[in-house]
């Protein structure tokens, strides 16, 4: 209740959201470690049918992101310097969904009922999401894995 994007794409929310005529979803990263993580996010957002993407934090520049398919032409992106800036700009009535890996709480992604208007948030590959951010989300889903290494981007 309360990555590798290949792992997320395997259980993409698109199927759940596409059955809703007026719904949407966006996907973002909290403090991505490397610029290529932003490129991965952009490509994945494009391939998963996301309405938008975003990043929170100033850890790296976007200038060298590895967006090889130029997804920026069809998926808009926003960059927020701080968590509070993101929260102040979050879409009206959208549910913020923390995505974590392993048994950290929340609902298994395969069993999760995706909201009509969802904003998915992944953590950095080296730190995941801070506890205070997971608590601030409306719900948390987890992606099960065989190992403890992080799939976050």
């Amino acid at each position: 209740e309360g990555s590798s994007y290949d792992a997320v794409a395997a259980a993409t929310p698109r199927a759940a959201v596409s059955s809703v005529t007026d719904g949407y979803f966006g996907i973002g990263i909290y403090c991505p470690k490397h610029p290529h993580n932003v490129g991965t996010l952009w490509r994945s957002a494009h391939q998963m049918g996301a309405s938008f993407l975003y990043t929170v934090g100033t850890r790296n520049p976007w200038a060298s992101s590895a967006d090889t398919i130029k997804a920026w032409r069809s998926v808009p992106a926003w960059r927020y310097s701080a968590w509070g800036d993101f929260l102040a700009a979050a879409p009206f009535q959208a549910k913020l969904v923390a995505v974590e890996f392993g048994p950290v709480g929340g609902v298994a992604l395969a069993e999760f009922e995706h909201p009509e208007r969802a904003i998915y948030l992944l953590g950095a590959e080296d730190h995941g999401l801070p506890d205070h951010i997971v608590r601030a989300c409306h719900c948390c889903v987890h992606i099960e894995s065989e190992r403890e290494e992080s799939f976050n981007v």
Side-chain angles (χ1 to χ4, degrees):
E1 189 190 327
S3 80
S4 162
Y5 273 82
D6 294 336
V8 176
T12 179
R14 182 172 173 74
V17 174
S18 65
S19 65
V20 178
T21 58
D22 295 324
Y24 62 85
F25 75 96
I27 191 163
I29 309 173
Y30 180 79
C31 294
K33 184 175 181 179
H34 301 290
H36 64 264
N37 296 134
V38 177
T40 299
L41 176 72
W42 234 319
R43 287 189 313 273
S44 299
H46 176 70
Q47 292 186 342
M48 292 168 51
S51 301
F52 61 92
L53 69 94
Y54 63 96
T55 62
V56 179
T58 58
R59 195 169 177 188
N60 68 66
W62 283 12
S64 59
S65 73
D67 176 19
T68 57
I69 63 169
K70 296 183 177 24
W72 54 265
R73 295 181 297 188
S74 56
V75 180
W78 284 268
R79 182 172 25 192
Y80 301 96
S81 297
W83 176 245
D85 297 334
F86 167 72
L87 288 178
F92 179 71
Q93 295 275 322
K95 299 290 185 193
L96 187 54
V97 181
V99 179
E100 286 287 17
F101 293 87
V104 297
V107 178
L109 185 59
E111 299 169 13
F112 183 63
E113 186 174 327
H114 299 276
E116 180 181 13
R117 292 168 308 283
I119 304 170
Y120 295 91
L121 176 62
L122 290 97
E125 65 182 275
D126 54 350
H127 299 296
L129 290 170
D131 289 340
H132 75 280
I133 290 181
V134 173
R135 285 191 306 271
C137 292
H138 294 96
C139 48
C140 180
V141 298
H142 69 267
I143 298 174
E144 295 182 17
S145 65
E146 296 280 324
R147 294 172 177 60
E148 294 184 29
E149 290 87 0
S150 175
F151 283 116
N152 286 322
V153 293

